[in-house]
Amino acid sequence: MDSRIGEDDDGYDALATVVAALIDDHGTVRQWSRAAAELLGRSADEVCGLHVSELFASTRTDGAPSVGPSSPTAGMFLRHAHGDAVNVRCRLLPLEQSAHQLLLAVPADRAEESDQATALLRALLAQDQIGVIVRDADLAVVRTSSTPPGLSAPPLGSTLADVMEPSHAATIEAELRTVLTTGVPLVDHTLRGRSRSAPVHEYSYSVTAVRTTDRHGRPTGVIALVTDATAQWLAGRRLQLRHHASTRIGRSLDVRRTAQDIGEVLVPDFADLVSVDLADKVLAGDEPPRTFGGGDLHLRRMAVRATDGWPRGLLPLEARFPRLPDRPPVRDLQEGRTVLFDRDSISRAVGDSRLSPLLIPDNGHSLAMAPLFARGLVLGLVSAWRTQGDEPFDQEDADMLAAIAAHAALSVDNARRYTREHRAAVALQQRLLPAATTLTPAVEAVGKYVPAADGAEIGGDWFDVIPLPSLRVALVVGDVIGHGLHAAATMGRLRTAVQTLADLELPPDELLGRLDELVARLAAEADPAERDTVGATCLVALYDPVTQLCTVASAGHLPPIAAGPDGTARPLPVRPGPPLGVGGLPFEATTAHLAPGDWLALYSDGLIGQPADGIDAGVNRLAGRIADLHRAQCSLRRAGEVLTAGQADRPAADDTALLLALARPLRHDAIAEWEFPADPAAVADARAAVARKIGEWGLTDLDFAVELIVSELITNAVRYAGGPIGLRLIHDKVLVCEVSDPSNTQPRLRQASSSDEGGRGLFLVAQVSSRWGSRYRQSGKTIWAELALPD
């Protein structure tokens, strides 16, 4: 007989400790096994021929051992050769066609250990919440239990690659082989993926694996205990998705950006394809109408998101949502309820077969739709499709989408309200700013205003071009502290004040002094908690095309940049005073020469931002850019677009105001100047000189008016001011007549009575001129009058 019978494949003798003896019908031992000899220390020669009762240390009263065929008997003791009692479990088995019986016995401790192991394995295999998979050394399945819900029992002989996706199979096989090689158990390993067999679904299992060995400690396989954690995993994933939605959706106050955030949150964690359609009124910042039933829902597709790209043929971005028939699902959505569809039900709801390709993707099998419902209004719809796998949306998915849509609806409504307020602020800002392009005899100017962060904030930056008498022009740029309607309103008040003060023909430094007093009064009128936020910076440049001089004063503002056609550019050396509203310190004026063709750039700090290497470096870089554009003969409009490009896209950008001006000095032959003594005879000389120049310019139609103005103004200077008396004519689109004298007395226009001998000179000047006025110089004053040229 083969000696390997009773041994397993690893060479382990499973029956090596079983005592076997053949007993004849008289109770005599006829055969004695080697295991029995080793266990009791008694050879076959010593035992064979003895009565069986002599083998036991305890017997019944009749001398027969208390063993039977039904079950092993515990508490029996075999007698060892040294007289010790060996506790065993015995069973006496009758043999077929023989009167002989077979006595089998095993040590009681070994039998108890086997019973416990059997009971443990039986208990594990009987569990319906814990899957037990016994694998051999090749990791093939040799035994499985009833598996927990959601886990399919792998067939006997199958390997991991037969039941899992290849990537997941390779990962867990490497883990199990490590257990098999090292003996270190794998504890609570999480395994997630998608099943390969139908129905395809996502799963998450917790796997604990230990190595099995034979009696000699050699590895024989792996036992894996598997528990289904899919429900907990899905619940955690839903919770994480809601948290992600709460932190991601609503970060922007832009309606379109909010719609895009909804799609980015839901794909791919919730759906494979998502579209967001918003009401037309919402995009404009208004409330959508209350609708009920089918028809035109007045929606427009504002965001799309898909795992594999948006399918061709499906309703694209920016397209209008088609008309829908009056169906119960449409009414459910309009009443704020989330609706689930399969492919057949959505086809029935759409009705018109021509709409199906626009609304239903080719491989879409499950659809969840939730309205963006806020304050009883449907602001839009969120449509989520599953196109991969077979798992449809369930009620838990619908509840989660409804919660996300409710949060998103509040964010969309906040963005809508902001859009409305922002639109009002933009309208106010645009109404308060001058025209973008201004053409005067002195300069050609182009201004550009860019709100901060793609329109997220309207601020108080402004620019202005103010034509002044004698063809001069004031160029202004300013920046009010803060943003929003308050800053825009303050900017409007300051711009009006600047225009009024400029009409008084104050020099730039004195103008800023008066403006500083105004801002201080505004701060005093403000709420005490907001007084520190009332303030502004401002820069005023006064350009005279006759002298080609530009006088600049700054109240805490960045210096202007002068650029020549030769490609050179420099910040003007302006010494800035304190910002407006600080008070107590004077403002200083700086004068520079602007040649024909020079550019002058005035700007707010939003144009250079907060450079890491300092404001001066940022200003110098801006000067270099302006020089390059001027050297390239770029137009002012194009230069403004290039310089402000990308300002609104900077996430933390301030709003920006930019004013570019091209200097246009007058020709020398368009200016005539004389000086006369304070002598009554000078009046006739002045009239004659003016008449000759008017003739040279071909303005004989203005002879009478010009001679009358010159006569009256010089007469007043001779009579009340003294000499010397300056006379200047400026010929451009208007004719300007200026008379200067050393007196600081302000001329006054009054209505003379019939008995008065004087007081009619300025009255006559006002009657024959288009407008008139006076301004002070460093010493004395200048009275001017403008006359419109003949057509």
Side-chain angles (χ1 to χ4, degrees):
M1 182 179 291
D2 189 353
S3 62
R4 288 182 55 85
I5 294 178
E7 295 184 2
D8 58 21
D9 294 337
D10 294 326
Y12 168 55
D13 187 355
L15 303 178
T17 59
V18 177
V19 174
L22 183 64
I23 310 299
D24 63 12
D25 53 349
H26 300 290
T28 303
V29 179
R30 296 300 180 187
Q31 297 288 337
W32 187 246
S33 69
R34 185 172 56 188
E38 293 176 354
L39 179 65
L40 300 179
R42 304 170 70 180
S43 66
D45 293 338
E46 295 177 290
V47 174
C48 290
L50 298 177
H51 192 271
V52 65
S53 60
E54 296 183 35
L55 300 178
F56 290 90
S58 61
T59 61
R60 297 187 326 187
T61 57
D62 59 1
S66 56
V67 292
S70 59
S71 62
T73 301
M76 301 296 294
F77 295 91
L78 292 175
R79 182 179 294 111
H80 194 271
H82 298 299
D84 298 330
V86 179
N87 191 4
V88 296
R89 292 188 183 183
C90 298
R91 175 174 290 179
L92 193 60
L93 301 176
L95 300 178
E96 295 288 337
Q97 300 178 351
S98 173
H100 291 65
Q101 298 182 73
L102 182 63
L103 175 65
L104 298 177
V106 294
D109 57 349
R110 189 64 49 80
E112 184 177 355
E113 179 183 343
S114 177
D115 289 345
Q116 291 175 351
T118 301
L120 176 61
L121 183 59
R122 184 183 300 112
L124 289 175
L125 294 176
Q127 294 293 322
D128 58 358
Q129 296 298 320
I130 302 176
V132 180
I133 303 174
V134 182
R135 297 181 181 272
D136 59 17
D138 295 326
L139 301 183
V141 176
V142 296
R143 190 169 183 180
T144 62
S145 68
S146 57
T147 56
L151 177 62
S152 300
L156 297 179
S158 65
T159 61
L160 293 164
D162 297 328
V163 294
M164 294 182 183
E165 293 179 343
S167 60
H168 295 149
T171 300
I172 193 65
E173 181 176 355
E175 297 283 354
L176 294 182
R177 289 205 177 278
T178 300
V179 173
L180 189 63
T181 304
T182 65
V184 177
L186 180 68
V187 179
D188 199 18
H189 176 79
T190 299
L191 179 63
R192 292 172 182 167
R194 187 181 294 268
S195 62
R196 299 187 64 181
S197 58
V200 177
H201 64 280
E202 292 182 305
Y203 60 78
S204 177
Y205 299 122
S206 176
V207 180
T208 296
V210 295
R211 183 176 71 178
T212 59
T213 59
D214 60 16
R215 185 168 298 277
H216 303 291
R218 291 172 293 187
T220 59
V222 174
I223 295 181
L225 306 179
V226 183
T227 55
D228 185 8
T230 303
Q232 296 86 337
W233 170 54
L234 292 177
R237 195 171 70 169
R238 290 190 180 101
L239 183 62
Q240 184 179 11
L241 182 60
R242 288 193 182 187
H243 174 71
H244 184 45
S246 65
T247 56
R248 180 69 180 271
I249 300 173
R251 298 180 304 169
S252 171
L253 287 175
D254 181 77
V255 175
R256 297 170 186 264
R257 179 67 257 180
T258 302
Q260 294 170 4
D261 288 341
I262 297 173
E264 293 173 0
V265 165
L266 295 177
V267 176
D269 294 335
F270 180 77
D272 304 310
L273 186 150
V274 169
S275 62
V276 181
D277 305 284
L278 298 180
D280 292 332
K281 292 286 188 180
V282 170
L283 300 175
D286 299 324
E287 289 188 350
R290 297 179 184 270
T291 58
F292 192 72
D296 189 356
L297 302 182
H298 305 286
L299 300 176
R300 187 179 297 274
R301 183 143 293 180
M302 297 314 302
V304 295
R305 190 79 172 180
T307 54
D308 299 324
W310 193 249
R312 297 184 60 183
L314 212 59
L315 194 68
L317 198 64
E318 298 289 345
R320 292 189 60 82
F321 203 84
R323 297 176 64 89
L324 294 180
D326 190 359
R327 296 284 194 273
V330 176
R331 293 175 177 262
D332 288 339
L333 291 171
Q334 291 171 331
E335 292 173 0
R337 290 188 287 272
T338 300
V339 182
L340 298 180
F341 300 93
D342 56 24
R343 190 175 184 88
D344 293 336
S345 60
I346 187 60
S347 297
R348 290 193 299 269
V350 170
D352 189 348
S353 59
R354 294 173 298 180
L355 294 181
S356 296
L358 285 176
L359 302 179
I360 306 176
D362 293 338
N363 53 350
H365 62 83
S366 183
L367 169 66
M369 294 187 71
L372 298 174
F373 198 70
R375 297 181 297 103
L377 300 173
V378 177
L379 307 178
L381 294 177
V382 179
S383 304
W385 279 96
R386 283 186 177 166
T387 59
Q388 302 175 7
D390 301 324
E391 191 172 2
F393 289 112
D394 55 21
Q395 188 57 46
E396 289 186 351
D397 294 323
D399 294 341
M400 183 174 64
L401 182 61
I404 294 175
H407 169 73
L410 293 178
S411 300
V412 170
D413 195 44
N414 289 338
R416 177 197 65 79
R417 294 185 180 208
Y418 178 81
T419 299
R420 181 181 60 190
E421 295 180 3
H422 178 259
R423 183 179 60 185
V426 169
L428 174 62
Q429 182 84 357
Q430 296 300 328
R431 291 294 182 90
L432 293 176
L433 290 175
T437 302
T438 304
L439 183 62
T440 73
V443 297
E444 175 189 353
V446 170
K448 193 168 182 62
Y449 173 78
V450 182
D454 196 19
E457 286 287 357
I458 290 296
D461 290 13
W462 89 92
F463 61 87
D464 212 343
V465 180
I466 307 173
L468 297 176
S470 302
L471 305 184
R472 298 174 306 147
V473 64
L475 306 174
V476 184
V477 67
D479 185 358
V480 174
I481 295 176
H483 296 88
L485 287 173
H486 172 75
T490 302
M491 178 272 288
R493 300 176 71 176
L494 293 183
R495 180 172 178 246
T496 301
V498 170
Q499 290 179 335
T500 302
L501 295 172
D503 283 341
L504 295 177
E505 301 192 65
L506 299 175
D509 52 342
E510 187 175 343
L511 186 151
L512 290 179
R514 301 283 185 88
L515 196 62
D516 181 61
E517 296 175 1
L518 172 63
V519 174
R521 288 198 299 270
L522 293 178
E525 296 171 358
D527 186 273
E530 299 178 355
R531 287 177 182 173
D532 291 340
T533 64
V534 178
T537 63
C538 185
L539 184 138
V540 179
L542 178 62
Y543 177 63
D544 188 343
V546 177
T547 63
Q548 301 184 19
L549 296 179
C550 182
T551 303
V552 183
S554 170
H557 208 83
L558 296 177
I561 295 173
D566 59 351
T568 60
R570 69 191 189 283
L572 296 184
V574 179
R575 180 175 296 178
L580 298 175
V582 174
L585 295 175
F587 299 96
E588 297 184 18
T590 299
T591 301
H593 180 267
L594 292 183
D598 281 357
W599 284 4
L600 186 66
L602 287 71
Y603 51 93
S604 61
D605 56 1
L607 190 61
I608 64 172
Q610 298 292 330
D613 50 355
I615 297 297
D616 292 340
V619 172
N620 290 329
R621 279 194 295 270
L622 178 60
R625 295 178 61 193
I626 294 174
D628 293 340
L629 293 170
H630 197 3
R631 183 172 52 248
Q633 299 182 350
C634 191
S635 67
L636 291 179
R637 180 181 296 276
R638 177 58 182 162
E641 293 174 352
V642 172
L643 292 173
T644 57
Q647 289 299 115
D649 298 329
R650 287 159 53 179
D654 193 5
D655 51 338
T656 299
L658 171 66
L659 181 62
L660 291 175
L662 170 65
R664 303 175 63 191
L666 292 181
R667 304 184 316 274
H668 292 294
D669 59 359
I671 305 168
E673 295 183 280
W674 301 271
E675 186 175 286
F676 300 99
D679 187 340
V683 177
D685 295 339
R687 283 202 306 266
V690 167
R692 287 193 300 270
K693 182 55 68 174
I694 290 297
E696 293 177 9
W697 287 340
L699 302 176
T700 55
D701 292 344
L702 298 178
D703 281 350
F704 174 76
V706 175
E707 291 184 21
L708 177 60
I709 293 172
V710 169
S711 297
E712 294 298 332
L713 294 182
I714 291 184
T715 299
N716 287 343
V718 170
R719 180 177 299 176
Y720 303 111
I725 301 171
L727 172 61
R728 183 168 67 175
L729 294 182
I730 304 173
H731 175 211
D732 196 77
K733 295 183 178 180
V734 295
L735 182 65
V736 181
C737 178
E738 296 180 344
V739 175
S740 303
D741 60 57
S743 172
N744 290 325
T745 303
Q746 176 71 30
R748 296 179 57 191
L749 178 65
R750 65 186 182 89
Q751 185 75 39
S753 64
S754 58
S755 60
D756 290 339
E757 295 183 359
R760 298 179 179 85
L762 289 180
F763 178 78
L764 292 175
V765 171
Q767 294 301 309
V768 299
S769 63
S770 301
R771 60 174 184 159
W772 75 279
S774 64
R775 62 178 177 272
Y776 289 101
R777 298 177 289 112
Q778 289 185 351
S779 60
K781 66 178 181 297
T782 297
I783 303 176
W784 56 267
E786 286 186 5
L787 291 89
L789 300 182
D791 294 338

